[in-house]
Amino acid sequence: MAKLLSLEQAARMIPDGASVMVGGFMGCGSPHRLIDAIVTKGVRGLTVYCNDAGWPGHGVARLITAGLVKTLNATHVGLNPEVAALMASGGLEVRLIPQGTMAEQIRAGGNGTGGVLTPTGIGTMAAEGRQVVDVDGKRFLLEKPIRADFAIISGYQVDHTGNIWYKGSTRNFNPLMATAADTVIVEADTLVEDGCIEPENVVTPGIFIDYIVKGGAW
Amino acid sequence: MAKLLSLEQAARMIPDGASVMVGGFMGCGSPHRLIDAIVTKGVRGLTVYCNDAGWPGHGVARLITAGLVKTLNATHVGLNPEVAALMASGGLEVRLIPQGTMAEQIRAGGNGTGGVLTPTGIGTMAAEGRQVVDVDGKRFLLEKPIRADFAIISGYQVDHTGNIWYKGSTRNFNPLMATAADTVIVEADTLVEDGCIEPENVVTPGIFIDYIVKGGAW
Amino acid sequence: MDKEQLKSVIAGRAAKELKDGDVVNLGIGLPTLIPGFLPPGVRVILHSENGIIGMGPALDAGQQQQAFVVDAGGKPAKCMAGGAFIDSATSFGIIRGGHVDASFLGAIEVDREGNLANWIIPGKKVPGMGGAMDLAAGARRVIVVMEHTNKGTPKILERCSLPLTAEKCVDLIITEMGVFEVTPEGLLLKEINDEYSLEQVKAATGCELLIPEAIGKMTE
Amino acid sequence: MDKEQLKSVIAGRAAKELKDGDVVNLGIGLPTLIPGFLPPGVRVILHSENGIIGMGPALDAGQQQQAFVVDAGGKPAKCMAGGAFIDSATSFGIIRGGHVDASFLGAIEVDREGNLANWIIPGKKVPGMGGAMDLAAGARRVIVVMEHTNKGTPKILERCSLPLTAEKCVDLIITEMGVFEVTPEGLLLKEINDEYSLEQVKAATGCELLIPEAIGKMTE
């Protein structure tokens, strides 16, 4: 039973220093309107979890460019040159995580398991400081669950219960992040009546969603 | 690119002593026609993974009643009295697994992680012989991945590529088992052309499916 | 009280633990009666561990070969508008991840530390734990609803003797005699059913109870 | 050979590693050319790690704000009939679980043990590993496709000097000069491009090569 908020109301919920998961992959499936509203409202020292840094002017990049982000946890930042400059000037801390590990860590954050045992990163810098667990003679890194105070995600169709259907490849991290934050806000491209999304075709069940903001068609 | 087989051809693929995952929950979402074909053909000493033992005459129970199963890995067998009798007579070994653990172990079997770190079962008989892993002061059981030689599952709509859409609660263990066996056979209630299932609504991608058998409407 | 009255008292009291919008998982048997006692305006979302969110009330139907939607007992069921079907891993991720607000379960034994035994009687009954271990370990609140005794033999004990379903998992116990909260200090008698005296409740309980100065009334 | 010819030689040879129905992940750049060289009758299923199975060939389009389907580089893409959209956890489960038959990746360095370095040049370029570590560790076959040298400096080395993407993960290396298989004994020169002499290949390679009696021809 998700509650409808205006973009401004939603933006005001996020305090300085909050940790925020941002859905999307290079901006595809990111909550663009809500990101804009947060930039307009202004906030400081966010810790952000997002697949990437987008490209300048697009997606999560707008939060970074506006100077709202203290730490970015991402898998790849190479397509946003501003990030390299900010990292060099000390204006942004970036923690890099292998993409499959990050996806599974967020899933673990939402599903009550103790983390992920992954072969990815063994023998690399990604293994630094990680516990190694031996299972039947094969070594795995123990990567801990990731949770955040907020998840801001995007959905193409969202019903009043909060059920979400994702169009195309906008899905990516959105369904995972929806499970792993204390407060979850979805930006709906289209708000539909309950029952419009067949129960079989619901990707993110509404029980994970706290608030809906209307995005409108792009 | 899944290949079409007759029920008889599919049944003949499964040799004595094979390990077989069987989809379904109390028969809902089980590949009933394929189960019947396996019973008709006959096979010995199967190790079966299935949520439950069904009820007599229904679902995986038909394999058990026919004496084809040496070991049953399940979460619950209480609704099939024949199982208790077979256990008592030594005709069937039953290994009980918590349902959430079994689901996640099968998922791990299919996704290359080293197992599941679950709080479920801590302080119970389910913890016997399990490695306990401490993550930030909380204890988790390490439950190893489960894989099998075969998975036999059911799908309501299946296209020629092998993409599957599940109706109602027939989904349950089917999408998980599809990822975790060397050979995966789906019984299609309805066989449809590629493109009939919207890419967004595909639940099990066809890349996991080796063979399709036609089940027809129930 | 006859059996039906007794069930009504327990399920009726259990319904008061729920608020509008709660995600709830109901064990088989007595717990399935709870939705029938919800006050108007309180709608809960039933989670069925075989993969339904937003399950409808129990259907009056037997086992069928053709059901595409079944409940956790394998009986035909339905999904409400606004509901969703999910796979078993997602379903138990919801449970383990604390997204189920309340799990109502029966018990064979429960003890003052909140340990729960409800899945096996070694040598007699070995049905399997199904989803019970995950529900007991993972739900935000675990509420035991059961008859206070097994034909006079206490089920609320100092320490469970049967193999556990989960350790220290129970938050609240609701029986026909009263409502008992598991606290760090022990088992607190929160409410008592007028039909029983305090002495009767104590006599039917296998462990010491914490008795507050004012005990609430279970039924109004 | 000019750059275009060189790319064609590499991508054309890489395409021969694929058989009908293979599930394939292509890194950005050169690997995306491979599908254009598949012989008639060989259709592969492109996996894009951001959540597409059955991605169509690259679209000739720039970055758009409105795309609902993008490839792993964020560029507009499409999904073929018979394809599927999946979430990122499922996508990487497919990779880690060995369901991707072949991953074609570029490399900054690769060595005779099959160690791969392609994600970071400390102090100079820190783009992040994206999905590369998972692909290198998880795909059934990891095939490096790259120019043989970096402006004359060998990229195939005795031992990688840069931080690794994954250890001992590479199965095959395809360059404009030849095809090299990682074996337990070392790096085997399987095929050579006629345009180069054995001595030229050796000189451009930073580690010893195992030379079989009969070396295959890379191009016919």
Side-chain angles (χ1 to χ4, degrees), chain D residues 69-152:
Chain D
V69 183
V70 302
D71 63 20
K75 297 229 169 65
K78 60 178 271 189
C79 180
M80 311 290 279
F85 294 113
I86 51 179
D87 68 45
S88 298
T90 305
S91 184
F92 281 86
I94 287 171
I95 293 169
R96 241 190 281 97
H99 305 286
V100 171
D101 295 301
S103 167
F104 292 89
L105 294 162
I108 309 177
E109 296 177 347
V110 56
D111 69 27
R112 64 187 300 213
E113 283 193 324
N115 295 302
L116 172 67
N118 72 351
W119 75 278
I120 192 173
I121 304 175
K124 280 179 68 176
K125 206 177 167 189
V126 192
M129 67 291 280
M133 282 193 178
D134 294 283
L135 283 160
R140 210 168 267 272
R141 294 186 78 207
V142 174
I143 301 175
V144 167
V145 288
M146 63 174 193
E147 286 190 52
H148 200 90
T149 67
N150 179 11
K151 296 165 189 163

Side-chain angles (χ1 to χ4, degrees), chain A residues 42-74:
Chain A
V43 62
R44 286 164 178 278
L46 298 181
T47 296
V48 167
Y49 297 86
C50 186
N51 176 69
D52 52 70
W55 65 75
H58 187 62
V60 74
R62 294 176 62 80
L63 295 179
I64 297 166
T65 306
L68 312 185
V69 183
K70 184 180 58 126
T71 306
L72 173 66
N73 299 271

